[in-house]
């Protein structure tokens, strides 16, 4: 079992990463099969995610369980998403963007984490931001071409990080900061137990994660876990449009050239 937190988290989420990159939606997107309306829904969903995530990051910016990973100027996406939503929905985008029940559950989970178990923000921030810096850049190019967007980058500010000169060097810095966090050996024991359960699990649709048990052990979860502990992809299996949106949101963070290029 790797003793670096970043490597342990990557190993524990390997199965769900494979599921994501092999999803029908991902295969279609890589072929440039994406519509403007669909992409608008994606950007709206990302806004709700990052609004909640960054609110909780601000709440915990001085908390030692998260403080070393506080890079608001380099990483935070809310302002960029506001620009994109004004492009896609117009000046009154706040009243126009959708906010589905499934997305509300996702946002609720982020707020619960930030207020009750802030150490878990590490997992959410790691998979989202570093995925945006990696696989998200590939998706940006595909969307720009498929949707015939301006070369100036309008409508795609979310994917642009003007305060990061080298994504590779920044990801190395982020991983080193992440690995410096004071996590007890129990965390890695739980990650190992998670991987053992995964190997024995006969249901490939279940995403690996950590569950809090007795005491105050650290829990690590993938960004698609809901308060009920189920994968967003499974919860939304009968809601095609919402599943499409949330699948994309997760794929931005876990596309093959994303999480495993970190």
């Amino acid at each position: 079992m790797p003793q670096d937190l970043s490597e342990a988290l990557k190993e524990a989420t390997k199965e769900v990463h494979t599921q994501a990159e092999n999803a029908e939606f991902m295969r279609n997107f890589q072929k440039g099969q994406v519509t403007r309306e669909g992409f608008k829904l994606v950007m709206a969903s990302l806004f709700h995610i990052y609004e909640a995530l960054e609110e909780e990051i601000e709440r915990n910016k001085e908390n030692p369980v998260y403080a070393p990973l506080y890079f608001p100027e380099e990483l935070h996406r809310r302002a960029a998403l506001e620009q994109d939503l004004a492009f896609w929905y117009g000046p009154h985008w706040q009243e126009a963007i959708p906010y589905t029940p499934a997305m509300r559950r996702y946002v609720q989970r982020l707020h619960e984490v930030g207020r009750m178990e802030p150490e878990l923000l590490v997992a959410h921030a790691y998979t989202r931001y570093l995925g945006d810096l990696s696989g998200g850049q590939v998706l940006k190019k595909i969307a720009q071409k498929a949707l015939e967007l301006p070369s100036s980058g309008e409508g795609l500010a979310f994917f642009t990080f003007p305060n990061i000169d080298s994504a590779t060097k920044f990801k190395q810095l982020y991983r080193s900061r992440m690995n410096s966090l004071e996590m007890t050996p129990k965390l890695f024991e739980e990650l190992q137990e998670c991987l053992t359960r995964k190997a024995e699990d006969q249901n490939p649709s279940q995403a690996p994660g950590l569950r809090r048990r007795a005491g105050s052990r650290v829990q690590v979860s993938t960004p698609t876990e809901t308060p009920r502990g189920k994968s967003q992809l499974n919860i939304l299996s009968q809601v095609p449009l919402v599943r499409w949106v949330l699948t994309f949101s997760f794929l931005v963070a876990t596309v093959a050239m994303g999480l495993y290029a970190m």
Side-chain angles (χ1 to χ4, degrees), residues 140-210:
K140 173 186 176 180
K141 294 178 181 179
I142 295 173
Q144 193 167 40
K145 181 178 180 181
L147 301 176
E148 299 181 345
L149 296 173
S151 59
S152 58
E154 290 179 273
L156 296 170
F158 168 77
F159 299 99
T160 303
F161 293 81
N163 295 320
I164 295 179
D165 295 327
S166 169
T168 299
K169 291 181 179 179
F170 183 84
K171 287 184 287 186
Q172 291 172 347
L173 170 64
Y174 195 93
R175 283 198 305 270
S176 68
R177 291 282 190 91
M178 184 176 175
N179 293 335
S180 73
L181 292 171
E182 295 185 4
M183 298 291 183
T184 68
K186 291 182 180 180
L187 168 64
F188 298 100
E189 293 172 8
E190 291 198 344
L191 279 170
Q192 181 62 64
E193 183 178 336
C194 163
L195 295 177
T196 301
R197 290 199 309 269
K198 179 181 68 174
E200 297 173 350
D201 195 345
Q202 297 302 312
N203 183 0
S205 66
Q206 291 184 345
L210 289 172

Side-chain angles (χ1 to χ4, degrees), residues 109-140:
R109 174 58 180 163
L110 288 171
H111 287 309
E112 288 175 352
V113 163
R115 292 167 183 165
M116 301 175 63
E117 301 173 298
E119 65 273 13
L120 303 190
L121 286 175
V122 173
H124 287 277
Y126 172 72
T127 53
R128 296 227 65 91
Y129 289 124
L130 267 65
D132 299 336
L133 280 170
S134 302
Q137 301 308 299
V138 178
L139 299 181
K140 173 186 176 180

Side-chain angles (χ1 to χ4, degrees), residues 9 45-46 55 57 61 73 83 91 99 112 128 130 144 148 174 200 207 209 216 226 242 254 259:
L9 180 59
S45 72
L46 290 174
E55 179 181 336
I57 287 174
K61 63 183 179 182
E73 296 300 321
Q83 295 179 34
Y99 194 15
E112 288 175 352
R128 296 227 65 91
L130 267 65
Q144 193 167 40
E148 299 181 345
Y174 195 93
E200 297 173 350
S216 57
T226 69
V242 178
T254 58
L259 187 59

Side-chain angles (χ1 to χ4, degrees), residues 59-70:
R59 185 193 309 275
N60 290 281
K61 63 183 179 182
E62 296 180 357
N63 189 323
V65 302
Y66 188 84
L69 302 180
Y70 184 63

